[in-house]
Amino acid sequence: AAWPGGNSKGYLEAPAGGKYDFQRDVIDPKPDLVIIEFVNDAYLDEAGLKAHYDGIMEKLRGAGAEVILLTPHLVRLDWLKSDVLQFDDDPRPYVKGLRLFAAENGVALADAAKEWRRLWRQGIPYPTLLENSINHPNPRGHAIFTRAIMGLFPEK
């Protein structure tokens, strides 16, 4: 289930029975695992994230789901409030908030943002992994998410 181009608040508040229905599409199927990644939640600061994600976690845990929080990819520089492509620390309070929330709540964290931030050290300008050079990852960009998630499931 997904809410393309939206944020988690919009998904949670979408009318029941509509195209996007959180209860019907996420809770009712009783998933074993839910992966949460909302780059469009990046407007949240640490306190706002905690308050909002506490509610999401209550709903998901009530459905018996395990949760993985997936940190988002990088987006256009002005949205990051940065003027450089090369940085080691993520400038978004939202990403810091995800890391803290995961640690404080015993939630798995797949830190894709960490790999996105380090692309410059490999000589890769991160916008080349965005389909539109703004905010939509291309297949190589999506592969970063896959690696971050699969890193939580090491092979024996």
Side-chain angles (χ1 to χ4, degrees), residues 86-106:
Q86 301 175 347
F87 48 87
D88 289 314
D89 295 320
D90 201 298
R92 298 170 288 184
Y94 171 68
V95 173
K96 184 176 181 186
L98 282 172
R99 291 183 182 123
L100 285 171
F101 186 88
E104 291 173 355
N105 290 278

Side-chain angles (χ1 to χ4, degrees), residues 4-150:
N7 58 42
S8 62
K9 184 177 187 300
Y11 197 7
L12 291 169
E13 295 176 355
K19 183 175 181 181
Y20 304 107
D21 181 333
F22 181 78
Q23 181 69 39
R24 177 196 66 214
D25 299 338
V26 179
I27 301 300
D28 290 349
K30 303 259 186 247
D32 294 317
L33 175 66
V34 174
I35 300 171
I36 300 174
E37 189 280 326
F38 277 97
V39 70
N40 290 334
D41 277 358
Y43 69 92
L44 293 167
D45 61 16
E46 293 169 48
L49 179 135
K50 179 176 176 8
H52 180 59
Y53 277 52
D54 276 342
I56 293 172
M57 290 301 300
E58 183 178 332
K59 291 177 189 312
L60 294 173
R61 286 186 170 148
E66 292 289 331
V67 177
I68 294 174
L69 296 176
L70 178 60
T71 58
H73 57 286
L74 297 175
V75 295
R76 55 189 271 179
L77 285 175
D78 59 326
W79 292 359
L80 293 173
K81 297 183 171 106
S82 178
D83 57 358
V84 296
L85 289 173
Q86 301 175 347
F87 48 87
D88 289 314
D89 295 320
D90 201 298
R92 298 170 288 184
Y94 171 68
V95 173
K96 184 176 181 186
L98 282 172
R99 291 183 182 123
L100 285 171
F101 186 88
E104 291 173 355
N105 290 278
V107 179
L109 180 76
D111 201 351
K114 184 176 176 182
E115 189 171 338
W116 277 84
R117 283 191 336 268
R118 294 180 178 167
L119 288 169
W120 74 273
R121 293 193 173 276
Q122 301 167 45
I124 303 169
Y126 78 82
T128 64
L129 275 66
L130 298 172
E131 195 68 45
N132 58 358
S133 297
I134 300 171
N135 63 336
H136 294 283
N138 62 26
R140 288 176 30 213
H142 281 286
I144 293 173
F145 291 125
T146 302
R147 286 192 297 275
I149 294 166
M150 294 310 295

